[in-house]
Amino acid sequence: MNIVSTEEQNHILMHSDAECPVSVSGARVRPKKRAAVAESATAENQLIRSSGRQINVRVKRCSNSPGQACLYQTKRKVTDTEEDEDQSEKKYRKCEKAGCSATYPVCFASASERCAKNGYTSRWYHLSCGEHFCNECFDHYYRSHKDGYEKYANWKRVWTGNGKSEPSLKAFMADQQLPYWVQCTKQDCGKWRQLTKEIQLTASLATTYRCGMKLNNVKSEGPDQCSQPEDLRVAEVIDSWWHSMLILPPLLKDSPASAFLTAYYPDCVGMSPSSSPCNLSPNELKAEHCRVTQPQIPGLCPYFQPFYQPNECGKALCVRPDMMELDELYEFPEYSRDPTMYLALRNLILGSWHRDCKEVLTPQKCAPHIIVRGLVRVRCVQEVDRVLYFMTRKGLINTGVLSVKEPLLPSHYHNKKVVIIGAGASGLAAARQLKNFGMQVVVLEARDRIRGRVWDDISLGVTVGLGAQIVNGCINNPIGLMCEQMGIKMHKLGDRCDLIQEGGKTTDPAIDKRMDFHFNAILDVVSEWRKDKSQHQDTPLGEKIQEVYKTFLQESGIQFSELEEKVLQFHLSNLEYACGSNLDQVSARSWDHNEFFAQFSGDHTMLIQGYSTVLNKLAEGLDIHLNTPVKAIDYSGELVKVTSSNGSQWTAQKVLVTVPLALLQKNKLQFVPPLPERKLKAINSLGAGVIEKIALQFPYRFWDSKIQGADCFGHVPPGPDKRGLFSVFYDMDPQGKRSVLLSVMTGDAVATIKDLGDKQVTSLCMKVLRELFKEQEVPEPVKYFVTHWSKDVWSQMSYSFVKTGGSGEAYDIIAEEVQGKVFFAGEATNRHFPQTVTGAYLSGVREANSQLACFLPGDHEVRNPRRGVDGFYDTVSLEAFELLCNAIPQSQGHTSKGLDYRRYAMFQ
């Protein structure tokens, strides 16, 4: 298919033999005379005029086409006076692009023997202010009888096969003929130099280039090439108007993001189709990309998937490579019309970071990989600073356990001081981010240790998490990122979990599968019921499940066996494990509120070395004060004053509160003035859930023959009253060298064991184990421990849940800052990822960014509960929010290969 661009159509019309306009009826139309144009003079104010030739046109009616006009151009008549002027003056023509500063353009192509160079041509083609090519060079490539046509035609075939945009001759010139620009890497120079057209720029050359460097066996003469002045056009690139005069957006070659984005049209994600060869036919592309496939990149952690693939949705911390997010539009409104340059740089940065997350990513490391012809490369290298700093602030890059030698952000942040209360996952995450940004951070911790509800025990010979130890969904999970940075391997948990009845019999997997289906069907009915229910119409989840279950039995006539009823109780105990509470306290309307947002997918893993290893690394180099419980926070003045129980005081511009929800509910901190009523109501609308754990070390692995290598096994409760009492047992040494089991107590079972001693709880657990393995002898444990999170003075809980009558919005309200001085983080402030270490960590990163935003000058900011590019809440002004919603460009069609569709993310 021969595609002709609009620009080329205009060229044909402009230079065809039929220059006289014709009316619709075919009648002759009187042509207009070309006016003589007086142009600006040279430095000596010499007046240069256009040729001023008048064109006479005759219209001839063709005999074989009645009613239509056939036009031809007669010989031009030139007056003697004008002919004399042509002989005495050099002819010039100004660039016709409105606003272009090039009065006397110069052709960069020099492809045609008749190239105008810096002289006269019938038309200048504008690529940017400072980059033009003449009409003669246009013809050299465009006309089929010219020498350059084959090169253009070959390029056009590649572009059309791989790309989506129009393969115009201007695009060809920008992609293939413009010279590269490269910056001198000498510390005291940094000047930009234009390479000759024959030299191909590579990342290696860009990293090592110096003025006068020998290239292609040619070296510039002169003792110090760095002393030579920089091209004046480079200074213009910095100005904002220069970008507005750019005809074509930059499309990068060999971007580090290219391997991630093979399913997209390159030019829709900021990359050049000419450097992205495709060996698949259109039909093969359609078949390949109609299913979700992640590119396999050698050496890359499989959990790193920063970009959505076509047909994908609902994946946490993932971005569309072909679209800007709302917070990006707010930060970079100049790209709202054409986001290509921003997408090219953002995708390059994300690709580079995920290829090497163990080192700080700097603009200097990104710049050599910006491979694009023309002066626009100068602009891209300048812009990459802004984009990289924005992504650093948001916690998308340069995050995790990374420790930096030089602050990541500019010096005006460095004199800011923040006090963080609590050294759990959220407090440490915020402290690490802010310290890396260059700010002064003090962390106050009430305990004699850090890590909060992450508490690992090694007394049994293996690491056992008294608190968290499992990572739920590893794809893009920041815990996975930190493990990769530290070289820690995560153990993937298998799907198999045999259910064992008291008496020792293993439950038929078909029964388990059947009851799991009915259990989920009950929850589906609850989901349908709540669609039209207001918060005041809420009811306890446990009651609603029983109501739906009884209705189902009555209407279906199905009768479950006694064993099936017990298996159903097992699944209910798992739900109580997830909620951290008896189901009669949990909201039926909002129990799974976070599922409306994109969640972490992929493998569930266990940290064999424990979360402590990660959080200890996160805390390295931080100013942490242990045994320092905070009593009061006074934010009535310009600075915030924090007072500990021993009378010590700290002052700062901002304070971040990361204490557990239960302590806020019990007013363990005094706020002056008191917190807003709206926030207090939200705090009390959530529940402080509790689960407890027990770990036992045995002399040998008595369970191996029955469990056969599974990571866990389940306990079918003998009745509803025993539900949640040691419902699941985990093998804490998947390698099979140590003999340690861990179990959990959930729901009503927590109250059952609350006032029992560790020995009594252990006796209950051993009784259950001997029932499950009745066919063999179960030895007494060598060692054991039992957790008591409900009695822990500095936590008094495990994780949060939405109580009956509450809503997920409470998490957002608790997260709101107060007067731009007091901020809040922790799992109970993360609506998207509550109840997890991941959620706590991300809330700390979120608040580090929020505090930076409040340090910046600008209009009053509010928290907008829409998920941004990083899964955090965007901070935008009300006016800007409305403006940006209207500025988001409409769909230009599909951007993935092989599919003509538009994927909408779920409402967030």
Side-chain angles (χ1 to χ4, degrees), residues 410-672:
S411 59
H412 59 266
Y413 291 107
H414 300 172
N415 62 345
K416 309 299 183 183
K417 187 174 181 180
V418 176
V419 171
I420 297 176
I421 302 172
S426 59
L428 294 176
R432 169 56 55 203
Q433 288 289 105
L434 292 172
K435 181 176 174 60
N436 284 353
F437 293 162
M439 297 172 67
Q440 302 173 41
V441 186
V442 174
V443 182
L444 307 179
E445 170 56 52
R447 303 176 190 268
D448 59 357
R449 62 172 179 84
I450 62 171
R451 301 181 303 277
R453 283 167 277 177
V454 168
W455 189 10
D456 294 334
D457 183 277
I458 58 172
S459 64
L460 305 185
V462 295
T463 301
V464 178
L466 283 70
Q469 193 166 7
I470 292 175
V471 183
N472 294 301
C474 290
I475 293 177
N476 296 335
N477 196 309
I479 304 302
L481 170 74
M482 290 186 278
C483 287
E484 182 72 11
Q485 289 174 326
M486 298 175 64
I488 296 176
K489 291 186 177 180
M490 298 184 288
H491 172 69
K492 177 183 175 181
L493 295 175
D495 295 330
R496 183 166 153 247
C497 181
D498 293 337
L499 302 187
I500 306 176
Q501 307 161 39
E502 294 195 358
K505 186 176 181 180
T506 300
T507 305
D508 184 348
I511 294 177
D512 180 21
K513 186 175 181 179
R514 181 185 180 204
M515 296 315 297
D516 180 59
F517 171 81
H518 285 294
F519 170 69
N520 283 293
I522 291 171
L523 294 180
D524 288 341
V525 174
V526 174
S527 297
E528 285 297 317
W529 164 84
R530 69 186 177 191
K531 283 183 176 179
D532 60 348
K533 297 297 184 291
S534 67
Q535 198 168 332
H536 300 292
Q537 296 173 298
D538 199 5
T539 190
L541 179 59
E543 289 183 13
K544 195 65 190 174
I545 287 175
Q546 286 301 314
E547 177 189 323
V548 172
Y549 178 59
K550 289 178 181 178
T551 302
F552 168 73
L553 293 180
Q554 290 172 359
E555 294 181 354
S556 67
I558 294 176
Q559 290 295 323
F560 292 127
S561 67
E562 182 180 353
L563 176 58
E564 288 173 331
E565 292 278 3
K566 292 177 181 179
V567 172
L568 181 60
Q569 292 299 317
F570 169 80
H571 288 293
L572 288 171
S573 72
N574 258 349
L575 184 58
E576 290 179 326
Y577 187 7
C579 294
S581 170
N582 181 304
L583 298 181
D584 288 334
Q585 299 180 44
V586 179
S587 165
R589 182 174 171 270
S590 302
W591 71 274
D592 61 345
H593 64 97
N594 60 304
E595 294 295 332
F596 289 96
F597 304 100
Q599 296 296 300
F600 293 106
S601 58
D603 299 334
H604 299 308
T605 61
M606 180 180 290
L607 294 184
I608 302 303
Q609 298 183 38
Y611 271 104
S612 292
T613 307
V614 175
L615 296 193
N616 288 343
K617 183 68 174 177
L618 204 59
E620 283 184 5
L622 298 178
D623 184 8
I624 302 174
H625 298 249
L626 299 177
N627 300 304
T628 310
V630 171
K631 179 176 68 175
I633 300 171
D634 185 346
Y635 61 99
S636 58
E638 184 177 348
L639 296 177
V640 184
K641 184 186 297 182
V642 178
T643 306
S644 69
S645 58
N646 64 8
S648 300
Q649 290 188 342
W650 291 263
T651 58
Q653 285 101 339
K654 316 287 180 189
V655 63
L656 175 60
V657 179
T658 71
V659 302
L661 174 70
L663 301 189
L664 292 176
Q665 291 177 334
K666 296 178 181 180
N667 299 315
K668 294 295 184 181
L669 291 176
Q670 179 185 359
F671 290 89
V672 181

Side-chain angles (χ1 to χ4, degrees), residues 10-59:
N10 292 339
H11 175 85
I12 294 169
L13 291 174
M14 181 176 180
H15 298 283
S16 68
D17 291 336
E19 290 192 329
C20 177
V22 181
S23 70
V24 177
S25 63
R28 189 182 309 173
V29 179
R30 185 176 181 180
K32 295 181 180 179
K33 295 181 180 180
R34 291 188 180 177
V37 180
E39 294 186 337
S40 230
T42 58
E44 292 79 24
N45 294 323
Q46 180 184 4
L47 185 63
I48 306 295
R49 295 194 305 169
S50 68
S51 61
R53 295 171 179 170
Q54 180 172 330
I55 302 173
N56 297 324
V57 178
R58 293 189 305 177
V59 178

Side-chain angles (χ1 to χ4, degrees), residues 744-789:
V744 294
M745 293 146 278
T746 64
D748 288 337
V750 173
T752 301
I753 60 97
K754 183 175 181 180
D755 296 323
L756 299 181
D758 290 2
K759 189 173 183 179
Q760 292 172 295
V761 176
T762 303
S763 296
L764 287 175
C765 187
M766 289 304 301
K767 183 179 179 181
V768 169
L769 280 172
R770 288 190 170 111
E771 282 291 330
L772 299 184
F773 295 87
K774 202 164 188 176
E775 72 282 359
Q776 65 185 78
E777 181 182 351
V778 177
E780 285 292 320
V782 178
K783 291 181 181 179
Y784 59 83
F785 67 75
V786 181
T787 66
H788 299 280
W789 288 107

Side-chain angles (χ1 to χ4, degrees), residues 83-126:
E83 190 171 322
D84 292 340
E85 288 177 355
D86 284 345
Q87 294 174 356
S88 62
E89 293 181 341
K90 186 176 181 180
K91 298 181 290 292
Y92 292 92
R93 190 180 185 91
K94 185 179 180 181
C95 175
E96 296 175 0
K97 172 71 175 175
C100 179
S101 58
T103 305
Y104 306 112
V106 178
C107 180
F108 65 79
S110 298
S112 170
E113 293 180 356
R114 299 177 59 223
C115 174
K117 309 227 181 265
N118 62 344
Y120 176 83
T121 183
S122 58
R123 180 180 177 184
W124 285 108
Y125 291 88
H126 175 105

